[in-house]
Amino acid sequence: MSGIRVSLAPSFRAGMGATVYDGGVTFRVWAPHATDVSVVLGPDGADVTVTLAAESAGLWSADVDGVVAGAHYKFQLGGADPQQRNDPYARELTNSAGRSIVSTIDFDWGQHDYRTPSWDDLVIYELHVGTYNDTVGGPPGSFDSVEARLDHLSGLGVSAIELMPASEFMGDFSWGYNPAHIFAVEQIYGGPHRLKQLIRAAHDRDIAVFIDVVYNHLGPQDLDIWRFDGWHEGDGGGIYFYNDDRRKTPFGDRPDYGRPEVTQYLADNARMWLEEFRIDGLRWDATALIRNRWGGNDSSGDIPDGWRLMQRVTSETSARQPWKLHIAEDLQTNDWVTRDGGAGFGSQWDAAFVHPVRRALTAIDDADRSTQAVCDAVSHAYTGGWLRRVIYTESHDEVANGRARLPQEITPGDPGSWYARKRSTLGAALVFTSPGIPMIFQGQELLEDEWFRDTDPMDWTKADTYAGILSLYGDLIALRRDRQQTTRGLRGPFVNVHHVNESGKVLAFHRWNAGGPRDDVIVIANLANRAYEDYRIGLPRAGTWHLRCNTDWKGYSPDFGAQDTFDTVASDIPRDGMPCSAGVALPPYTALIYSQDS
């Protein structure tokens, strides 16, 4: 590597890590306990060594002319235990145990004037890059292979995809929740440029992109920031981690949220995704372990530093881009995660929905299905409004480590059975009609039945096998997003579960925004293997109520539709606290969705 020229003084340019300027690169690293720091340039670490100058507060930096994007480097840290370390801020690495790569943030985002959807229009599709569109026995899938399926997602009607973590992790196969280098984009998936290309392609189709971030622990494998500059206390991890009894989580060591340089490191990472990569929102993994030693709600385990970290990052990024969404995977139904004055999240995954609904759908006997529990799940709310929760029946957590996907759990060994199709799609109807931001996990729309493993790709042949189920998901999403302007209430804040028949296993609820024709929506769910010829339900107005979706329609599956179901006319007979009512034909394990034209 020739033509290298180095300033002997610290750099005056801002930025951590390797920052490209016209003619060179600024290197800066935080290593307060190092006696000296150099940057070692070259693919094998033997080409050029450049000494960095000491700044204040443990920073070291230098401007190095002649270095260009693509150069490989590591930091050499001097002290009692001198060693080479990868750059904590590296945007790209050769691999998780390799060398840092100088990366430019330049990218052609095109001319599309894309805006993140309003939160009431969000329908999220969670996917794992390595398995979403992959081939059996080969390397993991990539950002390019996900891009190749964007037209499927656009046709399905989702408005956002949520990528499981894509930061550099150990090896090639992983869920991603073991981040070794949080600023570097996983090389096996394609690296930072390819991720930006996927985001641009999604935005061109009016699909938002969310990404999972992991701040509750780091590593534990291939973790160069572990005892980064040689200092640590006891068996702690050094400057980036707590070194006392706050350090341990079930997954790895907890960062030191009380150390300003560490909170800045995590805040810079969040800002990188939202601004440099134009990500539309962040889903934070296991926030309960950021705010609490044991991941619960016991105040004795509170970590005030963790609360402050979340408040800082959500407030700073929301001040700059208020339309972007921070989602917490907290799962402790803690209102303070999303309420004003709390952690600052716009929404949180709702354990009060997924668990009772799954129990109701998977119970073998109808008698064991609790209609009241489903009522409570539909109507559950956090302070601040209906968009404060994300609702779903499957995520990577529910369907991994041997835990069956919903169709398989409904009828083990026969996930394509009538029961599995009927009850899993009934669950989908509840997801898309209940108040909250709906989410599905990859393959639900294809009746995927294999539990999630990071080495096994989705079975895309099921798109043909269960083409009708795929159509049903598309129809439900269109209703949720009010694509035909007949179901505005499904994007509104209000819900009234006005009918709960525990013995008959029938539930009905009213959704609305402003109310009136094309706004008021009535959802009727039959949780039993029993048909009703004329089941009377309360309705808010007289007149014709049009059947917008019948999950038992034979077009969705050849063995559906044993019972004809039509529009209904409401008369001025009060019922269920409503001024009017009508009778409907209600098939088994079915959801009916009604609204009026006028």
Side-chain angles (χ1 to χ4, degrees):
M1 189 176 293
S2 59
I4 297 295
R5 295 182 302 280
V6 185
S7 169
L8 298 178
S11 176
F12 65 88
R13 295 181 172 90
M16 296 294 294
T19 306
V20 177
Y21 61 83
D22 186 15
V25 173
T26 296
F27 292 96
R28 179 174 284 107
V29 65
W30 175 55
H33 299 281
T35 57
D36 57 89
V37 179
S38 302
V39 61
V40 182
L41 298 159
D44 58 4
D47 287 356
V48 176
T49 299
V50 175
T51 300
L52 305 188
E55 299 184 27
S56 61
L59 295 171
W60 306 77
S61 69
D63 294 329
V64 186
D65 291 345
V67 179
V68 297
H72 294 192
Y73 69 100
K74 275 191 171 183
F75 291 118
Q76 176 74 44
L77 305 174
D81 183 22
Q83 54 194 304
Q84 288 189 10
R85 296 286 188 170
N86 274 304
D87 179 3
Y89 276 83
R91 294 296 202 273
E92 191 172 5
L93 280 89
T94 55
N95 59 67
S96 63
R99 303 186 69 77
S100 302
I101 303 174
V102 174
S103 181
T104 177
I105 65 173
D106 295 338
F107 183 77
D108 179 10
W109 288 101
Q111 301 301 313
H112 190 272
D113 187 22
Y114 174 78
R115 293 286 286 182
T116 305
S118 60
W119 296 359
D120 69 329
D121 194 32
L122 283 174
V123 174
I124 299 173
Y125 187 101
E126 186 192 13
L127 67 86
H128 176 254
V129 173
T131 58
Y132 178 63
N133 185 25
D134 189 20
T135 55
V136 177
S142 65
F143 300 127
D144 287 350
S145 66
V146 173
E147 183 179 345
R149 291 286 184 182
L150 285 179
D151 287 340
H152 165 82
L153 295 167
S154 179
L156 181 61
V158 300
S159 56
I161 58 175
E162 179 188 311
L163 306 178
M164 290 170 64
S167 294
E168 190 72 48
F169 48 73
M170 184 187 75
D172 292 342
F173 294 92
S174 173
W175 293 18
Y177 297 99
N178 56 331
H181 308 275
I182 63 173
F183 281 82
V185 177
E186 174 58 43
Q187 198 63 246
I188 197 69
Y189 290 166
H193 183 86
R194 291 298 188 185
L195 174 56
K196 290 177 181 178
Q197 181 174 296
L198 169 61
I199 296 165
R200 182 183 63 192
H203 287 174
D204 285 344
R205 292 164 174 81
D206 288 321
I207 297 174
V209 181
F210 291 74
I211 200 164
D212 286 13
V213 292
V214 183
Y215 300 147
N216 62 82
H217 76 283
L218 298 173
Q221 305 95 347
D222 290 350
L223 191 60
D224 270 25
I225 61 172
W226 181 261
R227 300 179 181 176
F228 183 69
D229 62 3
W231 173 87
H232 63 95
E233 291 182 344
D235 57 355
I239 58 174
Y240 280 91
F241 300 91
Y242 286 119
N243 287 254
D244 56 22
D245 61 0
R246 291 171 292 181
R247 57 178 284 244
K248 283 298 184 184
T249 78
F251 311 111
D253 276 48
R254 184 180 280 119
D256 184 348
Y257 309 125
R259 195 182 288 257
E261 294 86 354
V262 178
T263 55
Q264 187 65 54
Y265 178 66
L266 300 176
D268 287 346
N269 184 254
R271 186 169 169 180
M272 177 195 77
W273 293 120
L274 294 169
E275 298 186 9
E276 179 183 327
F277 283 83
R278 302 195 181 186
I279 287 286
D280 298 282
L282 302 179
R283 178 267 193 193
W284 291 47
D285 179 64
T287 54
L289 287 170
I290 296 175
R291 60 177 180 79
N292 188 278
R293 282 178 171 86
W294 308 292
N297 291 325
D298 184 350
S299 60
S300 67
D302 260 5
I303 304 175
D305 294 342
W307 283 102
R308 284 189 287 269
L309 167 78
M310 295 187 292
Q311 291 165 344
R312 173 188 172 177
V313 176
T314 56
S315 63
E316 285 181 356
T317 58
S318 295
R320 298 172 66 88
Q321 298 176 315
W323 61 91
K324 296 191 175 182
L325 179 61
H326 288 272
I327 300 171
E329 185 221 19
D330 200 84
L331 299 179
Q332 300 299 311
T333 59
N334 188 317
D335 202 54
W336 284 101
V337 171
T338 44
R339 71 181 298 173
D340 291 345
F345 287 90
S347 193
Q348 62 175 303
W349 282 18
D350 190 16
F353 184 93
V354 59
H355 298 313
V357 170
R358 279 184 70 94
R359 280 193 295 270
L361 297 173
T362 57
I364 296 173
D365 297 324
D366 288 345
D368 297 328
R369 256 176 274 288
S370 172
T371 310
Q372 184 60 51
V374 175
C375 163
D376 295 342
V378 168
S379 56
H380 181 250
Y382 294 97
T383 301
W386 68 291
L387 295 172
R388 295 296 195 188
R389 67 175 188 161
V390 175
I391 55 176
Y392 55 96
T393 57
E394 287 190 4
S395 75
H396 67 271
D397 283 327
E398 280 72 37
V399 300
N401 296 323
R403 296 188 294 271
R405 297 198 71 154
L406 197 52
Q408 186 73 256
E409 190 171 352
I410 290 170
T411 50
D414 189 12
S417 73
W418 179 85
Y419 293 96
R421 284 176 280 123
K422 288 290 294 179
R423 299 213 299 262
S424 67
T425 54
L426 175 57
L430 290 171
V431 167
F432 290 117
T433 58
S434 298
I437 297 173
M439 181 183 76
I440 60 175
F441 184 60
Q442 62 179 36
Q444 277 193 268
E445 77 280 18
L446 312 182
L447 212 73
E448 179 63 76
D449 55 72
E450 284 294 324
W451 58 275
F452 171 68
R453 301 184 278 285
D454 55 31
T455 55
D456 289 354
M458 264 179 58
D459 182 0
W460 282 94
T461 67
K462 288 184 169 66
D464 294 325
T465 305
Y466 298 111
I469 302 298
L470 175 58
S471 295
L472 172 55
Y473 271 81
D475 290 346
L476 289 169
I477 291 170
L479 290 173
R480 171 61 179 76
R481 299 185 67 191
D482 190 27
R483 287 313 207 197
Q484 300 302 316
Q485 298 184 343
T486 59
T487 52
R488 183 64 182 85
L490 295 181
R491 291 180 58 177
F494 302 111
V495 63
N496 174 27
V497 183
H498 62 287
H499 183 93
V500 180
N501 180 347
E502 190 63 69
S503 61
K505 305 302 177 186
V506 177
L507 178 83
F509 55 94
H510 174 205
R511 293 289 314 281
W512 74 99
N513 181 44
R518 297 176 174 266
D519 187 304
D520 284 308
V521 176
I522 295 294
V523 181
I524 309 169
N526 183 0
L527 303 175
N529 187 16
R530 171 186 175 183
Y532 295 90
E533 293 296 330
D534 186 20
Y535 195 97
R536 199 152 195 91
I537 289 288
L539 295 166
R541 275 184 317 285
T544 300
W545 286 80
H546 295 283
L547 182 61
R548 305 302 183 185
C549 182
N550 167 17
T551 63
D552 188 56
W553 179 50
K554 64 183 177 181
Y556 297 138
S557 192
D559 55 355
F560 288 7
Q563 181 180 10
D564 290 330
T565 304
F566 305 102
D567 296 346
T568 191
V569 178
S571 59
D572 295 324
I573 301 174
R575 187 173 177 83
D576 302 326
M578 296 282 197
C580 303
S581 62
V584 300
L586 184 55
Y589 299 137
T590 294
L592 306 178
I593 303 172
Y594 289 93
S595 70
Q596 290 186 308
D597 283 340
S598 60

